[in-house]
Amino acid sequence: QAPLVESGGDSVQAGGSLTLSCAASGSVDRGYCMGWFRQGPGKEREGVATVDNDNTKTYADSVKGRFTISRDNAKETLYLHMNSLKPEDTAMYYCAASEWICPDNVRDVHNFPYRGQGTQVTVSS
């Protein structure tokens, strides 16, 4: 079983909301730093948010105030609650995990050693 499996991606209208889930298992320990990154069409990978095992959260400026990351260690699940979605949020969203403490910014989330296969989010205007 893959250590990280994302779900919840969908097509929505601008201004809408969506919640992504990431089920963790096996190698990924509940004490790990976990996060989300995304890659839009023709764009580079972009860190979105991280949450540490002490619930410290960090966000990219582009999503601050609109997205909320959370984790439920009992369910071994990571979430990304997305509100006020914009067409520029269209991307494949990936869950990632690292055994190290979360870095001060989300720039390197895509380099975490554990990464899922992604779930597609499409926002239409």
Side-chain angles (χ1 to χ4, degrees):
Q1 184 178 356
L4 297 171
V5 179
E6 303 94 336
S7 62
D10 205 347
S11 296
V12 297
Q13 297 247 319
S17 300
L18 205 57
T19 295
L20 306 182
S21 300
C22 172
S25 63
S27 309
V28 176
D29 186 85
R30 59 187 62 190
Y32 283 17
C33 168
M34 298 192 73
W36 293 91
F37 69 95
R38 65 187 182 184
Q39 187 164 22
K43 298 181 181 180
E44 294 189 353
R45 289 170 294 185
E46 175 191 18
V48 174
T50 59
V51 57
D52 218 329
N53 58 358
D54 64 355
N55 213 35
T56 299
K57 302 174 183 180
T58 305
Y59 296 94
D61 288 343
S62 58
V63 306
K64 209 171 285 185
R66 300 188 298 122
F67 291 10
T68 302
I69 190 171
S70 65
R71 64 193 294 169
D72 185 333
N73 285 339
K75 295 182 179 179
E76 296 182 309
T77 302
L78 178 72
Y79 301 98
L80 185 67
H81 310 278
M82 304 184 293
N83 295 319
S84 303
L85 283 161
K86 305 175 182 180
E88 51 264 43
D89 294 319
T90 294
M92 185 73 81
Y93 283 72
Y94 299 88
C95 172
S98 169
E99 62 267 46
W100 301 103
I101 294 173
C102 285
D104 291 338
N105 62 67
V106 299
R107 185 176 57 238
D108 295 322
V109 176
H110 63 280
N111 285 327
F112 284 10
Y114 300 97
R115 287 160 284 180
Q117 294 300 305
T119 187
Q120 178 68 38
V121 173
T122 303
V123 184
S124 57
S125 57

